[in-house]
Amino acid sequence: MIIIVILLCLALNRFTPMGKWARHYGWLDRYFEYHHKWLGATPFGKGTLGLLMALAPPVVAVAILQWILIYFMWGIAAFVFAAAVLLYALGVMPTLTEDTLTHKANKSNTVEDVVRYEGATVVVAKAKGSVLWQAQTNTFAVLFWFVLLGPAGAVLYRFSRLLSEHTYAEDSLKIRDAAISWVSYLDWIPVRLLGLCFVLAGRFESTFKVWWGQITTTPKNNETYLDACSHAALESGHETPQRQWALYQRALLIFLIILSLLALAAWSH
C-alpha cells in the first residue's frame, strides 16, 4: 500500500493543483502561537521539551487515527487517509525544463529569475538553498519518514521543518533553535540515502568516494554533504539547476524502484 500511496501523491502533486490547494499551514501557525502563549513561560514551552510538547499532539493524533481507520472498510479508509496526509505534508515540487530555462534566459541574466519562470516553482536564492536541497526537504525526506513511520512520520518531518522556520515571536527563538537542531537529525539519514541514489544515478566512482568519505559529517552539514555528492555526480561545469533537477529525478526513480522491489519481495513471502 505504501508504494501505491507514494506514487499517487507524487502524481497528484506534480500534475494537478491538488497539492497546492491542500498545502495551507495557517492553522499550524496559530497552533504554534497558542502553544507559545500558554506554555512559553514554562519549561514545557522552551527548548527540547517545548519542541516535544508542540509536536507530540498532532503526530500522536495522526498515528492513532491511522491505526483506527485500518479496521474500517477493509483498510480503504486508512489508504485514503494516508494519501491525504502525505499529499498535505509534501512540499512544492520543482518543474524545471530546458525550454523553460532557455525561454526565461532570454529575458533575464540571473539564475533566480530563470527558475522562477511560470511553472518553475523552485527558488535557488541562498536563503532557500539549492534546487537539490529544496527537493530533499520538500519531498525526499517526507517520503523517507512516511515509509518508516507512516502518515505520522510525514507529519513529524513537515511540522518539525515548519517549526524550525517559524518566527512568530522573539521569545520563540529558543524552541526554534531546538527545532533547527532536531530537523537536522531528521534529515541526516534521508540525505545519505539520497546521496547513495546520486551514486547510482550519476558518475559512480567519483560520487561513491565523496559519499563514503564524508558520510560521517555532522547533521548541521547535511546541505553541504548533499551538494558535495551532487557535484561529484555531475560533470564539472554542468551543475545547472536543470541538470541538478534531472539528477534528482533519476535518484528518486531509483529510490521508488528499490522500494517497489522490497514491497514485492515482502508480498511474495
Side-chain angles (χ1 to χ4, degrees):
M1 183 184 78
I2 290 178
I3 186 63
I4 298 176
V5 170
I6 289 176
L7 293 176
L8 175 63
C9 290
L10 288 177
L12 291 175
N13 200 36
R14 180 67 182 274
F15 301 112
T16 74
M18 290 185 65
K20 182 179 180 180
W21 294 342
R23 201 175 297 114
H24 293 288
Y25 303 114
W27 72 269
L28 191 59
D29 290 340
R30 291 191 293 272
Y31 168 75
F32 288 150
E33 291 171 3
Y34 182 84
H35 171 272
H36 174 70
K37 177 181 178 180
W38 292 101
L39 299 177
T42 71
F44 297 100
K46 300 176 182 178
T48 303
L49 187 56
L51 175 65
L52 179 63
M53 292 298 295
L55 292 176
V59 173
V60 172
V62 168
I64 293 175
L65 189 55
Q66 176 71 11
W67 179 77
I68 293 174
L69 290 176
I70 291 175
Y71 299 96
F72 287 88
M73 300 174 62
W74 303 280
I76 296 177
F79 175 88
V80 173
F81 178 73
V85 171
L86 180 58
L87 186 63
Y88 184 71
L90 286 173
V92 176
M93 291 187 66
T95 54
L96 298 179
T97 65
E98 194 68 39
D99 291 340
T100 296
L101 294 172
T102 302
H103 181 89
K104 189 59 179 180
N106 294 330
K107 300 181 180 180
S108 172
N109 294 323
T110 66
V111 175
E112 288 83 356
D113 289 337
V114 169
V115 298
R116 286 192 181 99
Y117 173 68
E118 291 184 344
T121 53
V122 171
V123 179
V124 294
K126 292 182 180 179
K128 295 294 184 180
S130 67
V131 170
L132 291 174
W133 184 244
Q134 290 184 67
Q136 143 67 21
T137 57
N138 286 337
T139 305
F140 194 83
V142 179
L143 296 180
F144 173 83
W145 287 107
F146 177 79
V147 171
L148 196 65
L149 300 176
V155 169
L156 173 66
Y157 181 82
R158 175 53 59 205
F159 286 12
S160 297
R161 179 150 293 280
L162 289 173
L163 187 56
S164 72
E165 298 168 354
H166 206 65
T167 57
Y168 57 81
E170 290 296 328
D171 292 339
S172 70
L173 293 179
K174 292 182 179 179
I175 190 173
R176 186 187 176 203
D177 290 343
I180 291 173
S181 177
W182 165 246
V183 82
S184 68
Y185 282 97
L186 291 179
D187 278 321
W188 196 88
I189 297 178
V191 163
R192 271 101 192 127
L193 181 58
L194 182 56
L196 181 59
C197 292
F198 287 168
V199 173
L200 302 176
R203 298 186 300 170
F204 182 90
E205 184 175 357
S206 59
T207 311
F208 182 80
K209 288 180 180 179
V210 173
W211 178 81
W212 183 252
Q214 302 181 28
I215 197 170
T216 58
T217 54
T218 59
K220 67 179 181 180
N221 294 318
N222 283 331
E223 186 174 359
T224 302
Y225 174 79
L226 190 66
D227 285 341
C229 290
S230 69
H231 293 333
L234 296 170
E235 295 181 15
S236 179
H238 294 82
E239 299 164 7
T240 63
Q242 192 274 340
R243 289 182 180 273
Q244 287 181 331
W245 177 235
L247 173 66
Y248 171 74
Q249 287 181 309
R250 296 195 300 272
L252 180 60
L253 180 60
I254 291 171
F255 171 73
L256 294 175
I257 291 174
I258 294 174
L259 189 61
S260 299
L261 292 175
L262 292 175
L264 287 174
W267 178 77
S268 63
H269 287 81

